[in-house]
Amino acid sequence: GQQVMQIPQYQHVQEGEDFTTYCNSSTTLSNIQWYKQRPGGHPVFLIQLVKSGEVKKQKRLTFQFGEAKKNSSLHITATQTTDVGTYFCVANAGKSTFGDGTTLTVKP
Amino acid sequence: SAVISQKPSRDICQRGTSLTIQCQVDSQVTMMFWYRQQPGQSLTLIATANQGSEATYESGFVIDKFPISRPNLTFSTLTVSNMSPEDSSIYLCSVGAGTGFEQYFGPGTRLTVT
């Protein structure tokens, strides 16, 4: 079955530092989605990537989809305390599979 | 996007009892899902709630333990039956919407079984 690995599991950064989380699938994906879950909250949809090599930006967030459509990354430039939470990738290949998430903490 | 509400928001239940969680959407949607999230863990899909037919359960989840109803395109219920402390978790419903069927989640139901 489809396996999705997300690394790192935890990331602690100083405010202003950059942050990257990676998502790797064992199978070729039709698309990949990213969600953010604040502490005590529910997952909130951020973005969907569909095309091979696609890059999308949302303010300080940059999302990439690998050329082989098996991996993706989320990069945050100059983190802020509002970025804290757990970032999940969701790999879609017939069925949707949540990654284990990367929990980001930001020290002010 | 869709606005989703869940009831109850939290509950403390005794072992052996059952709890029914309601999920209401503000618009008609085809795809509704039920997830379980243990503290500090990722989300695990329990089942897809199909309107007018039986839910589709994921491996490890069975209808007798987690019966689901989907009477229309805006509402679904999940029952957690014969509960044990291992069922303590957050249960979330979600709907698939938008061009890419991105998911929108309800606020979740925090269940504690004693």
Side-chain angles (χ1 to χ4, degrees):
Chain A
Q2 180 179 286
Q3 294 185 332
V4 180
M5 283 190 56
Q6 199 174 341
I7 55 172
Q9 186 175 3
Y10 300 98
Q11 187 77 59
H12 311 285
V13 300
Q14 191 78 32
E15 188 173 22
E17 293 181 338
D18 292 356
F19 159 78
T20 305
T21 174
Y22 300 90
C23 183
N24 297 293
S25 168
S26 58
T27 59
T28 301
L29 304 172
S30 55
N31 66 69
I32 196 161
Q33 299 171 344
W34 286 92
Y35 293 78
K36 176 183 178 181
Q37 185 173 25
R38 294 181 184 273
H42 57 275
V44 174
F45 173 75
L46 293 177
I47 208 159
Q48 177 173 275
L49 304 171
V50 179
K51 299 176 183 177
S52 169
E54 189 170 15
V55 178
K56 286 188 176 180
K57 292 191 175 185
Q58 289 180 350
K59 296 183 180 178
R60 294 178 294 104
L61 279 61
T62 301
F63 304 85
Q64 291 189 331
F65 201 10
E67 293 290 340
K69 298 184 71 172
K70 285 187 173 183
N71 55 72
S72 181
S73 65
L74 159 58
H75 179 82
I76 302 178
T77 303
T79 54
Q80 300 175 358
T81 55
T82 53
D83 294 325
V84 299
T86 301
Y87 293 84
F88 292 100
C89 64
V90 177
N92 293 298
K95 65 178 294 187
S96 297
T97 303
F98 268 76
D100 289 337
T102 297
T103 298
L104 172 66
T105 55
V106 179
K107 186 176 181 181
Chain B
S1 66
V3 177
I4 304 158
S5 59
Q6 274 186 244
K7 289 196 288 190
S9 59
R10 59 177 61 225
D11 207 342
I12 302 173
C13 301
Q14 289 196 337
R15 181 195 300 260
T17 62
S18 298
L19 176 72
T20 295
I21 302 168
Q22 298 179 6
C23 179
Q24 180 75 53
V25 191
D26 67 342
S27 58
Q28 293 187 338
V29 292
T30 304
M31 301 163 67
M32 289 183 77
F33 308 96
W34 287 99
Y35 286 86
R36 182 171 72 182
Q37 186 176 30
Q38 308 276 14
Q41 304 287 317
S42 184
L43 282 76
T44 302
L45 181 63
I46 297 171
T48 301
N50 303 307
Q51 194 269 329
S53 65
E54 203 169 273
T56 305
Y57 289 85
E58 296 299 307
S59 175
F61 298 96
V62 295
I63 187 171
D64 289 346
K65 176 67 176 176
F66 297 101
I68 288 171
S69 78
R70 178 90 193 269
N72 56 53
L73 294 176
T74 63
F75 186 79
S76 178
T77 67
L78 168 75
T79 299
V80 186
S81 303
N82 188 25
M83 289 183 284
S84 67
E86 292 71 36
D87 295 318
S88 297
S89 190
I90 297 171
Y91 292 85
L92 300 111
C93 69
S94 77
V95 303
T99 56
F101 291 104
E102 55 263 29
Q103 294 187 55
Y104 296 91
F105 287 84
T109 296
R110 182 180 294 272
L111 170 63
T112 303
V113 183
T114 60

